[in-house]
Amino acid sequence: MRLPGFLLLSALGLIAPLRAETAPVVTGWDRITVAPMKTSIYIGSVTLIPGVFRREGSTLAATYTVKVFPWFFWGETGRITITLSDAELASLNKGEVVEFTGDGVNQKHKPRKVTGRAQPADATSGKFKIRIAADGYELIFNSTYRLGGGAK
């Protein structure tokens, strides 16, 4: 009776190291870098240059600069805040598309409504689409993003 028990324990001892380890899911990144983006308007273009989005609880916040060509006087600066929970960041890490909402305010304290989508290409980067409602117009920008700063 002791031999089968010994063989079973020996077999388990040999099989245990062969067990595949699962990679931990990365849920919290310190920052997201979004590349500058450009969109066309009637006889001109708008360039959105976001700063690095830094984690503040369940939100990511960044300053931004907008340049309007040829109407430079329409340019502005401000702050954008988007909401992305740890669960949504984990979804990005797993390759799932994530929709987000947020708010912005320019240097004159005018509100900006923000919506968008992040579509991963791999675990740390992908495509970034953001819609900003400003003064009755909706501007749509496409760019790329990169998660950075290491996981929490």
Side-chain angles (χ1 to χ4, degrees):
M1 281 294 212
R2 290 184 182 218
L3 186 60
F6 173 74
L7 290 175
L8 179 62
L9 287 175
S10 296
L12 288 176
L14 292 173
I15 294 172
L18 300 177
R19 185 177 44 140
E21 293 294 322
T22 57
V25 175
V26 179
T27 59
W29 292 89
D30 294 324
R31 65 182 182 269
I32 297 177
T33 304
V34 178
M37 49 199 107
K38 191 175 193 176
T39 192
S40 297
I41 58 172
Y42 184 71
I43 309 179
S45 64
V46 178
T47 302
L48 173 63
I49 305 165
V52 175
F53 284 88
R54 299 203 184 277
R55 192 103 168 122
E56 297 174 358
S58 64
T59 63
L60 293 152
T63 58
Y64 71 88
T65 301
V66 169
K67 296 181 179 183
V68 182
F69 180 82
W71 298 286
F72 66 92
F73 49 86
W74 283 352
E76 67 180 48
T77 60
R79 183 169 170 87
I80 296 175
T81 304
I82 60 175
T83 302
L84 275 177
S85 67
D86 282 343
E88 290 168 322
L89 282 173
S91 294
L92 275 179
N93 186 258
K94 291 189 277 186
E96 299 171 3
V97 174
V98 173
E99 304 278 334
F100 59 84
T101 61
D103 293 297
V105 61
N106 72 3
Q107 79 276 11
K108 295 180 182 177
H109 304 290
K110 285 185 165 184
R112 305 295 186 223
K113 186 68 183 156
V114 176
T115 59
R117 174 178 72 215
Q119 180 178 358
D122 57 40
T124 60
S125 64
K127 295 178 183 178
F128 188 81
K129 181 178 217 165
I130 189 167
R131 291 180 166 92
I132 301 177
D135 301 325
Y137 297 96
E138 182 179 72
L139 299 172
I140 301 171
F141 298 94
N142 291 296
S143 186
T144 58
Y145 73 87
R146 177 162 298 282
L147 299 174
K152 289 182 182 176

